[in-house]
Amino acid sequence: MRTFPILLLTFMWLALTPSKPTRVVFFGDSITQAGVSPGGYITRIGDMLKKQNLANEYELIGAGIGGNKIYDLFLRMEDDVLAKQPTITFVYVGVNDVWHKRTYGTGTDPDKFVKFYDAVIKKLQGAGSKVILCTPAVIGEKTDYSNDQDGDLQQYSKLIRDLAAKHKLPLCDLRKAFLEYNLKNNPNNAEKGILTTDRVHLNDTGNQLVADEMYKLMVAAK
Amino acid sequence: MRTFPILLLTFMWLALTPSKPTRVVFFGDSITQAGVSPGGYITRIGDMLKKQNLANEYELIGAGIGGNKIYDLFLRMEDDVLAKQPTITFVYVGVNDVWHKRTYGTGTDPDKFVKFYDAVIKKLQGAGSKVILCTPAVIGEKTDYSNDQDGDLQQYSKLIRDLAAKHKLPLCDLRKAFLEYNLKNNPNNAEKGILTTDRVHLNDTGNQLVADEMYKLMVAAK
Amino acid sequence: MRTFPILLLTFMWLALTPSKPTRVVFFGDSITQAGVSPGGYITRIGDMLKKQNLANEYELIGAGIGGNKIYDLFLRMEDDVLAKQPTITFVYVGVNDVWHKRTYGTGTDPDKFVKFYDAVIKKLQGAGSKVILCTPAVIGEKTDYSNDQDGDLQQYSKLIRDLAAKHKLPLCDLRKAFLEYNLKNNPNNAEKGILTTDRVHLNDTGNQLVADEMYKLMVAAK
Amino acid sequence: MRTFPILLLTFMWLALTPSKPTRVVFFGDSITQAGVSPGGYITRIGDMLKKQNLANEYELIGAGIGGNKIYDLFLRMEDDVLAKQPTITFVYVGVNDVWHKRTYGTGTDPDKFVKFYDAVIKKLQGAGSKVILCTPAVIGEKTDYSNDQDGDLQQYSKLIRDLAAKHKLPLCDLRKAFLEYNLKNNPNNAEKGILTTDRVHLNDTGNQLVADEMYKLMVAAK
């Protein structure tokens, strides 16, 4: 039969052709901006992929800008995310939506946080990207809920968990992971130095914890 | 010739058919929400049109919701403005963008005020509406710039003036008009009671002043 | 002996003379201001004393003014407390020190909260009053620490607990009592309606809970 | 007569003995803390005294601590001012009372600003010091009242002017002086760089302007 060799060649070609890598965009604030630096969480995810011989299967793109709130993600998502045609997008935002209430008086109302976050999810999904939501980890690492903006962080994390449930999206619950880690490793109720350098931004341990949490979901979502 | 009577009838029909009225939407916050009440500024514009025998030529639609900031206008403009296919839209926002910095910690950053305002203008123009911008009048009527949020109101009013200039749009400079009125009529530097009942919301004189300022621009824009 | 009848008369006179009642001042904010109303927590303490036939042994004085922070207590303590020469003073403050951060931008820095609170304690003790400290109960009754100012309330309650320990003073830990009550009786994580009417001010159940907690310490302190 | 030579000696001794210098304390915040550095306003006042051969007649003492509000001055005045037994005290405070509303939510209520300022004045006068009040100069140098906290600075400056009038004290109206200077020398409405480095802290020109304004009042008050 003449068709057999052709089929065989086709199979061989398919096997040899490198498949297009899964493109993953990390969309967030200063924590994500620092994620692409040496030691940053995105760099660490890349290192983990190399160890698993999966480096060719993923393309990791950092899209973090310092000070960003959900409004900023909404405004720049066309250029910074959709234009890159991601397979998977991690949305990692919320710290500044809470923090700016105190520092500038320009935090985000809870109702508008949900509405604009919802719009971001829909646009990402409309462009064909899978979406993974992250809760904001900490502004202060004290474990007795006495960091001054813990109330709001609890509230906005809950809003994100509800959005994940509503849209049936994977949730990277960093706030939960950080609290559990601190309950075990922060016996003196320190406000920084366990997973952060300054109450917000990640030290090496914090970057690795975020990388570990995201890695599992990223591989599962592929 | 047979065409003559037909043309004549056509001309007659055109002359007799009532032209479609100019539809004007007032898009804003609680001040505009109160504008449709008896004595409100929109009601007063309607009264002024009746006196000029122009009531049939305009259809006035209030689209104000208390507490709204530029973000809210952006989120609800499809349903509340574009769906009404306005000929002219007054955008009258800014007080809460400033005020909420103090009362809730959720005011609007100046850069995002401009970006979302810009998006509102473009969507309105894209839908065929003429656009008239208004500056936020007052949070406190003292004339020596000692109302506690005067600095921000000055700044956001300037941002709106710059947007009007950039887009070559008519400007209803209520902040300027209110200050000029108070300089003449508020010798004791009172913080309310001249044009407002409570430092922000309009009394009869304030509603009439806004109506007068908007009326001129509305008729000119037709 | 001539001295015997005189001694006897003296003893009889002492037994018959009503002893001077224990004067208790409740020094605080709007919650305490409402405490003297019908159903208020001070009124309820009075009712409890009557039931125990102890009404003659105590004189209860409300000294609450709405909006008060520790600064205000410091400023008005001479007139409103020391002038009354109290035997026992309950200091019940902290809600506005936290709340005003959000509503007016004029909350109290933690370090200054401690310094002025310390000065209040020392002046009260210097004037011969026993002092009982109370933690601020709630701004929102949700039990998962997601009320937006829970972080600060936790922090300022801890500062008060530390002050009580430092000065070896009885502590009326209303924040702890309210949380325990809500954990049992607020299954839907409501933000108000369990012990408060509006997230802050006490309903009947809340007033009774405060009365119960204070009563125990008041009787013990006599 | 024997008394004549003794009197003569006494007069000679009085004439030759150096009189005790006028001790001037500058009591304030970070602006005053920087005032004792090379180029700082207190250093410059010292230089001006040297040029006038008056260096021996004055002793200048800086008592500025960064971040201080009126509450802080009140708390530390015993140790940092009264203990030095000043002849003249400049009180230069207000910037943080306003600024902290925005940055920490812990600014000072106007009514408490007045009450604690009043207490500071009375304690200084009670200890025998002359008192000179200064208005807070600027948070932003724009001249059209559009610096975001201009409203509050106007208000708190007015409170200080009223306190000076009430207590019949000399007023060093730095806010007025800075605005007048900027109106002449800041044609581009820059927010910094004319008299400040960063909208608040003084550059060389700003330090000299403050030194000039204070020098006049200091010499007059002696």
Side-chain angles (χ1 to χ4, degrees):
Chain A
M1 304 285 284
R2 292 182 62 181
T3 53
F4 182 74
I6 290 169
L7 272 173
L8 188 68
L9 284 168
T10 303
F11 282 126
M12 287 173 64
W13 180 79
L14 281 169
L16 293 169
T17 302
S19 66
K20 198 180 155 194
T22 298
R23 186 173 286 174
V24 186
V25 169
F26 300 85
F27 193 26
D29 56 27
S30 59
I31 297 168
T32 296
Q33 190 172 18
V36 297
S37 303
Y41 79 81
I42 300 171
T43 307
R44 285 168 190 267
I45 293 173
D47 295 343
M48 293 160 79
L49 288 170
K50 278 180 206 151
K51 282 188 192 155
Q52 302 293 327
N53 286 320
L54 294 170
N56 292 331
E57 298 191 20
Y58 290 88
E59 181 185 3
L60 309 182
I61 299 175
I65 292 187
N68 268 203
K69 298 184 280 249
I70 190 68
Y71 299 131
D72 302 279
L73 299 198
F74 178 84
L75 284 168
R76 67 185 182 85
M77 69 182 303
E78 314 272 344
D79 294 341
D80 292 0
V81 183
L82 300 187
K84 293 182 167 126
Q85 298 180 289
T87 321
I88 301 171
T89 305
F90 280 90
V91 181
Y92 182 7
V93 76
V95 164
N96 293 309
D97 298 85
V98 168
W99 204 5
H100 289 188
K101 290 189 186 184
R102 186 61 45 88
T103 49
Y104 302 111
T106 59
T108 306
D109 294 300
D111 66 323
K112 272 177 280 294
F113 186 77
V114 170
K115 285 178 183 169
F116 280 97
Y117 206 130
D118 211 78
V120 165
I121 291 170
K122 282 175 186 159
K123 279 203 181 185
L124 286 168
Q125 290 184 322
S129 175
K130 291 170 186 169
V131 184
I132 301 176
L133 309 189
C134 307
T135 53
V138 291
I139 304 175
E141 300 194 54
K142 290 191 286 182
T143 57
D144 60 351
Y145 297 104
S146 72
N147 305 291
D148 66 355
Q149 297 196 286
D150 270 346
D152 259 353
L153 277 182
Q154 290 288 95
Q155 182 184 359
Y156 286 67
S157 293
K158 185 168 185 316
L159 297 175
I160 292 170
R161 288 177 195 126
D162 291 348
L163 280 165
K166 175 187 158 193
H167 290 280
K168 298 189 169 55
L169 296 175
L171 175 72
C172 186
D173 200 340
L174 297 174
R175 181 152 180 83
K176 186 162 167 278
F178 272 53
L179 180 59
E180 284 170 3
Y181 188 93
N182 266 291
L183 283 169
K184 285 184 198 146
N185 297 282
N186 184 5
N188 297 324
N189 205 28
E191 66 171 13
K192 61 184 178 181
I194 312 299
L195 294 165
T196 73
T197 57
D198 62 356
R199 305 199 315 136
V200 170
H201 296 95
L202 308 176
N203 67 12
D204 283 349
T205 315
N207 270 301
Q208 189 58 47
L209 181 53
V210 171
D212 289 342
E213 294 293 318
M214 287 191 176
Y215 187 90
K216 290 182 286 187
L217 290 166
M218 184 184 79
V219 173
K222 194 182 171 182
Chain B
M1 302 283 283
R2 292 182 61 178
T3 54
F4 183 73
I6 290 167
L7 270 172
L8 188 66
L9 284 169
T10 304
F11 282 128
M12 286 172 67
W13 179 80
L14 281 170
L16 293 170
T17 302
S19 64
K20 200 179 156 193
T22 299
R23 185 173 286 173
V24 186
V25 169
F26 300 85
F27 194 24
D29 56 28
S30 59
I31 297 167
T32 295
Q33 190 171 17
V36 297
S37 304
Y41 78 80
I42 301 170
T43 306
R44 285 168 190 268
I45 293 174
D47 294 343
M48 294 161 78
L49 288 170
K50 278 179 206 153
K51 281 188 192 155
Q52 302 293 325
N53 286 320
L54 295 170
N56 291 331
E57 298 191 20
Y58 290 89
E59 182 185 1
L60 309 182
I61 299 176
I65 292 187
N68 269 205
K69 298 184 281 249
I70 190 67
Y71 299 131
D72 301 278
L73 299 197
F74 179 83
L75 284 168
R76 67 185 181 86
M77 70 183 304
E78 313 271 344
D79 293 340
D80 292 0
V81 182
L82 301 188
K84 292 179 167 129
Q85 299 181 288
T87 322
I88 300 172
T89 306
F90 280 90
V91 182
Y92 181 9
V93 75
V95 164
N96 293 307
D97 298 85
V98 168
W99 205 5
H100 289 188
K101 290 189 185 182
R102 186 61 46 87
T103 50
Y104 302 111
T106 59
T108 306
D109 294 300
D111 65 323
K112 271 175 286 289
F113 185 77
V114 169
K115 284 178 185 169
F116 280 96
Y117 207 130
D118 210 79
V120 166
I121 292 170
K122 282 175 186 158
K123 280 203 180 185
L124 286 169
Q125 290 183 320
S129 175
K130 291 172 186 168
V131 184
I132 301 176
L133 309 189
C134 307
T135 53
V138 290
I139 305 177
E141 300 193 53
K142 290 191 286 179
T143 57
D144 58 351
Y145 297 103
S146 73
N147 306 290
D148 66 356
Q149 296 196 287
D150 270 346
D152 259 353
L153 277 182
Q154 289 289 94
Q155 183 184 357
Y156 287 66
S157 293
K158 185 170 185 315
L159 296 175
I160 291 169
R161 289 177 195 125
D162 292 348
L163 279 164
K166 174 187 158 196
H167 290 281
K168 298 190 170 56
L169 296 174
L171 175 73
C172 184
D173 201 340
L174 297 174
R175 183 155 179 82
K176 184 161 169 279
F178 270 54
L179 180 59
E180 285 171 1
Y181 188 93
N182 266 291
L183 283 169
K184 285 182 197 148
N185 297 282
N186 184 3
N188 296 325
N189 206 28
E191 67 172 10
K192 61 184 177 180
I194 312 300
L195 294 166
T196 74
T197 57
D198 61 356
R199 303 198 317 136
V200 170
H201 296 94
L202 308 177
N203 65 12
D204 283 349
T205 316
N207 271 300
Q208 189 59 47
L209 181 53
V210 170
D212 289 341
E213 294 293 318
M214 286 191 178
Y215 187 90
K216 289 182 285 185
L217 290 164
M218 184 184 80
V219 173
K222 193 180 172 183
Chain C
M1 303 283 285
R2 294 185 58 179
T3 53
F4 184 72
I6 291 169
L7 268 173
L8 188 67
L9 282 168
T10 305
F11 283 126
M12 285 172 66
W13 179 81
L14 280 170
L16 292 170
T17 301
S19 65
K20 197 180 158 196
T22 300
R23 187 173 285 173
V24 188
V25 169
F26 300 85
F27 194 26
D29 55 27
S30 59
I31 297 168
T32 295
Q33 191 172 17
V36 296
S37 304
Y41 79 81
I42 300 170
T43 307
R44 285 168 190 268
I45 293 174
D47 295 342
M48 294 161 79
L49 288 170
K50 279 179 208 155
K51 282 188 193 157
Q52 302 293 326
N53 287 319
L54 295 169
N56 291 331
E57 299 192 19
Y58 290 89
E59 183 186 1
L60 310 182
I61 299 175
I65 292 188
N68 268 204
K69 297 183 282 244
I70 190 67
Y71 299 130
D72 301 280
L73 299 197
F74 178 84
L75 284 168
R76 68 185 181 86
M77 70 182 304
E78 313 274 343
D79 295 339
D80 292 0
V81 183
L82 301 187
K84 296 185 164 123
Q85 299 180 288
T87 323
I88 302 171
T89 306
F90 281 90
V91 182
Y92 182 8
V93 76
V95 164
N96 292 308
D97 298 85
V98 168
W99 205 4
H100 289 188
K101 290 189 185 184
R102 186 61 44 88
T103 49
Y104 303 111
T106 59
T108 306
D109 294 300
D111 66 323
K112 270 175 284 290
F113 185 77
V114 170
K115 284 178 185 169
F116 280 96
Y117 207 130
D118 211 77
V120 166
I121 292 170
K122 282 176 186 157
K123 281 203 178 185
L124 286 168
Q125 290 184 322
S129 175
K130 292 172 186 169
V131 185
I132 302 177
L133 310 189
C134 307
T135 53
V138 291
I139 305 176
E141 299 193 55
K142 291 191 285 179
T143 57
D144 60 349
Y145 297 103
S146 72
N147 306 291
D148 67 355
Q149 296 195 286
D150 270 346
D152 259 352
L153 277 182
Q154 290 288 96
Q155 183 184 354
Y156 286 66
S157 293
K158 187 170 184 314
L159 296 175
I160 291 169
R161 290 177 194 125
D162 292 348
L163 280 164
K166 175 186 159 195
H167 290 280
K168 299 190 170 55
L169 296 175
L171 175 72
C172 185
D173 200 340
L174 296 174
R175 182 156 179 80
K176 185 160 167 281
F178 272 53
L179 180 59
E180 285 170 2
Y181 187 93
N182 266 291
L183 284 169
K184 286 183 197 147
N185 298 283
N186 185 3
N188 297 323
N189 206 30
E191 68 171 9
K192 61 182 178 184
I194 312 301
L195 294 164
T196 72
T197 57
D198 62 355
R199 305 199 315 138
V200 170
H201 297 93
L202 308 177
N203 66 12
D204 283 348
T205 316
N207 271 301
Q208 190 58 48
L209 181 53
V210 170
D212 290 340
E213 294 293 319
M214 287 191 177
Y215 187 90
K216 291 182 284 187
L217 292 165
M218 186 183 79
V219 173
K222 193 182 173 179
Chain D
M1 302 284 285
R2 294 184 62 180
T3 52
F4 183 75
I6 291 171
L7 269 173
L8 187 67
L9 281 169
T10 303
F11 284 125
M12 286 174 64
W13 178 81
L14 281 169
L16 292 171
T17 302
S19 64
K20 198 180 157 197
T22 299
R23 187 173 287 173
V24 187
V25 169
F26 300 86
F27 194 26
D29 56 27
S30 58
I31 297 167
T32 296
Q33 191 172 16
V36 296
S37 304
Y41 78 81
I42 301 170
T43 308
R44 285 170 191 267
I45 293 173
D47 295 342
M48 291 160 80
L49 288 170
K50 278 180 207 151
K51 281 189 193 154
Q52 301 293 326
N53 286 320
L54 296 168
N56 292 333
E57 298 191 20
Y58 291 89
E59 182 185 2
L60 309 182
I61 300 175
I65 292 187
N68 268 205
K69 296 184 281 250
I70 190 68
Y71 299 130
D72 302 279
L73 298 198
F74 179 83
L75 284 168
R76 68 185 181 84
M77 70 182 303
E78 314 273 343
D79 294 340
D80 292 1
V81 182
L82 300 188
K84 302 196 158 113
Q85 298 180 290
T87 322
I88 301 171
T89 306
F90 280 90
V91 182
Y92 181 9
V93 75
V95 164
N96 293 308
D97 298 86
V98 168
W99 205 4
H100 289 190
K101 291 190 184 184
R102 186 61 45 87
T103 50
Y104 302 111
T106 59
T108 306
D109 293 300
D111 66 323
K112 273 177 281 293
F113 185 77
V114 169
K115 285 178 185 168
F116 281 96
Y117 206 130
D118 210 77
V120 166
I121 291 170
K122 282 175 187 159
K123 281 203 180 184
L124 286 168
Q125 290 183 321
S129 175
K130 291 171 186 168
V131 185
I132 302 175
L133 308 190
C134 308
T135 53
V138 291
I139 306 176
E141 300 193 54
K142 290 191 285 179
T143 56
D144 60 351
Y145 297 102
S146 73
N147 306 290
D148 66 356
Q149 296 195 287
D150 270 347
D152 259 352
L153 277 182
Q154 290 287 96
Q155 181 184 358
Y156 287 66
S157 293
K158 185 169 185 314
L159 297 175
I160 292 170
R161 289 177 195 125
D162 291 348
L163 280 164
K166 173 188 160 194
H167 290 279
K168 297 189 171 57
L169 297 175
L171 175 73
C172 185
D173 201 340
L174 296 174
R175 181 152 181 83
K176 185 161 168 279
F178 271 54
L179 180 59
E180 284 171 1
Y181 187 94
N182 266 289
L183 283 169
K184 285 184 198 146
N185 297 283
N186 184 4
N188 297 323
N189 205 29
E191 68 171 10
K192 61 183 179 183
I194 311 300
L195 294 166
T196 74
T197 57
D198 62 357
R199 304 199 315 136
V200 170
H201 297 94
L202 308 176
N203 66 12
D204 283 349
T205 316
N207 271 300
Q208 189 57 48
L209 180 53
V210 171
D212 289 342
E213 294 293 319
M214 287 190 177
Y215 186 90
K216 290 181 285 186
L217 290 164
M218 185 183 80
V219 173
K222 195 183 172 179

